[in-house]
Amino acid sequence: MAMGARDGRHEQRCGRHHPAADLDAFYASVEQLLDPSLRGKPIAVGGGVVLAASYEAKVFGVRGGMPGRKARELCPQLIFVGGHFSEYQRLGDAAIKVLDDFTPVVERISIDEAFADVAGCTHLFGPPQEIARRIRERVKAELGLPISIGVARTKHLAKIASQVAKPDGLVVVEPGTELSFLHDLPVTLMWGVGPATKARLAEIGVETIGQLARTHSGALERLIGHAAGQKLAALAWNRDPRKLETHRRAISAGAQSALGRKPAVPRVFVPTLLHLADRVASRLRAKDRPGRTVTVRVRFADLRAVTRSVTLEQPIQATVMLAEIAEELVRGVLAAHPGERDISLLAISVSHLEEHAELQLELPLGLMDEKRKPGSRKGLARFGADRAIDKIRQRFGRQAVGYGTVALEGPRSVPDGFRELAEKEL
C-alpha cells in the first residue's frame, strides 16, 4: 500500500512528507502465514501459471505471470499452493483498516496497496516517518505480514520509495535529495513502464530514470507517444500534481488473458474473448452500469500491442453481445496485420459507463445487427439469459454454469477468484 500527497506542487512548497507502504509478496506471504511449514521456503501461488511468488522463489528468477513449467525449471524445489482468495481479501481489508486508524484520507488502489494523506494527523501521531514506523509495527504484530514503507513528498516518489524499501523495510527520501535518489533507479520502477516500454527505451540507451529525464522530449514522444512521453518526463523530474481520490468510481471495466504464445486463429481467440466478455459483462450487470464503448487489445508475440474500439448507439451489458463485438474488432486487427501469426494477450474493456441507463426498445425490422441491439427481441432474450445465469451463479457459485465453449474448456490457468481481487469496484 502506498500513501501520498493531496497535491505534489503544494506538498513541495510546504516541505511536508507522506509515507508510502506496500504489503510484500502479499499472496505468497499470506500462504506462508496460513501454513507455517512454508515459511522460509520457495513457494508459488498457482499451477499452470505463477500468480505470485515468495521472495525465496524470486531469488531463483521466479516471477508472477511465468508458466509453471519454466518456474519449476528455475527452482526445482518450488512448492505450488492453490490460493486462499477469501483470506487475501480479509487480510488486505485488515491492513487498510490499520491505515484508517491513522487517517480518514485513504485511496485504495489494489487489494494490497493504498495511498493516504497523513498531513492532518501529525499532531496526533508524530511526523510521517513515525506514522510509517507505527503502521509497520502494527501490521506485523496484528496480522503477521511483512510490509514495506517509503516516505516522500509526492505520490509517485512515495510509491517508488516503497518499492526500494522491499523486502520489509522503510525508506525515507529527504527534501533536496529527491532527484539524486530518483535518477539512479531503473525506469521499470516508474508507473507506466512495462516490458514493451522498457524495450523501446532500451533501444535509445535509456535504462535509468535519470537517463529518461535527460532525454529530449521530442525523441521520447516519437518513441512512446505524446501523452506517455510527457507523463514519464514529468515523473522523471518528480513533478506529480495528482490529488488523492478517496471515493473514485471506475470509468471502465476490463479483463485480459495472457496466452503465452498461441496461434492467431479463431479456435484460440473466440473462446478466450467469450470468457473475457463473461467476466466484464457480469460485473456491469451486477452494478447495472452498461457501457457504450467497447475496446479490444491484441498483443503479438513480440509484445507489440494494437487496440481497436467502437462506440455503440446504446450501452450494452450482455455477455454474448459483447463477445461478438470484441470478436469483430479482433478480426479487424488481425486482418490489418496479416504477417502476425501469434498472439500473446487479449483484452476487452467497456467504457463510457452509464448509471441505470434507460433501455430503448427496437422495432423488429429484420436488420442484420438486431441481435446486437439491447432493445431488440434478440437483445432482450440475450439479456434475460444472462440474468438467469447470474442468479444461478449467485446461489451455486460461478462455476455452476457458463457460456458455450467457455464452460467446456475446464479449469483455467488463472482462477477467476484471483482475477476478481484485482478488479476495480464499479
Side-chain angles (χ1 to χ4, degrees), residues 227-280:
Q230 284 197 330
K231 177 182 177 181
L232 290 183
L235 294 178
W237 288 104
N238 197 31
R239 294 195 290 267
D240 184 12
R242 288 172 300 171
K243 296 181 178 179
L244 217 66
E245 299 180 56
T246 57
H247 300 290
R248 178 175 55 186
R249 296 196 72 183
I251 60 174
S252 66
Q256 67 180 31
S257 180
L259 304 175
R261 182 169 183 162
K262 295 289 180 64
V265 294
R267 66 177 172 81
V268 172
F269 65 75
V270 170
T272 300
L273 291 173
L274 183 54
H275 174 72
L276 294 175
D278 183 15
R279 287 166 49 198
V280 174

Side-chain angles (χ1 to χ4, degrees), residues 86 104 156 162 198 251 337:
S86 61
H156 180 246
S162 71
K198 175 189 175 184
I251 60 174
H337 298 80

Side-chain angles (χ1 to χ4, degrees), residues 51-68:
L51 306 180
S54 67
Y55 279 104
E56 295 85 354
K58 290 180 179 180
V59 170
F60 293 89
V62 178
R63 296 288 184 272
M66 177 179 290

Side-chain angles (χ1 to χ4, degrees), residues 376-414:
S376 69
R377 183 178 300 171
K378 290 183 179 179
L380 291 172
R382 286 178 161 184
F383 184 72
D386 285 334
R387 282 300 193 193
I389 288 176
D390 292 340
K391 290 181 180 178
I392 293 173
R393 286 173 168 174
Q394 287 170 7
R395 183 170 181 180
F396 299 105
R398 188 172 184 85
Q399 302 303 319
V401 63
Y403 294 82
T405 54
V406 173
L408 299 175
E409 282 188 306
R412 305 187 67 85
S413 59
V414 179

Side-chain angles (χ1 to χ4, degrees), residues 13-88:
R13 288 196 303 268
C14 295
R16 294 187 293 188
H17 274 82
H18 294 266
D22 192 347
L23 288 163
D24 295 331
F26 179 56
Y27 301 109
S29 295
V30 170
E31 296 301 328
Q32 290 175 323
L33 176 68
L34 297 176
D35 184 354
S37 69
L38 297 176
R39 294 175 185 173
K41 298 178 180 178
I43 71 166
V45 180
V49 173
V50 175
L51 306 180
S54 67
Y55 279 104
E56 295 85 354
K58 290 180 179 180
V59 170
F60 293 89
V62 178
R63 296 288 184 272
M66 177 179 290
R69 182 185 304 174
K70 182 177 180 181
R72 288 187 177 91
E73 290 175 356
L74 293 172
C75 181
Q77 64 270 43
L78 187 65
I79 301 171
F80 273 91
V81 294
H84 295 80
F85 304 109
S86 61
E87 288 299 296
Y88 301 155

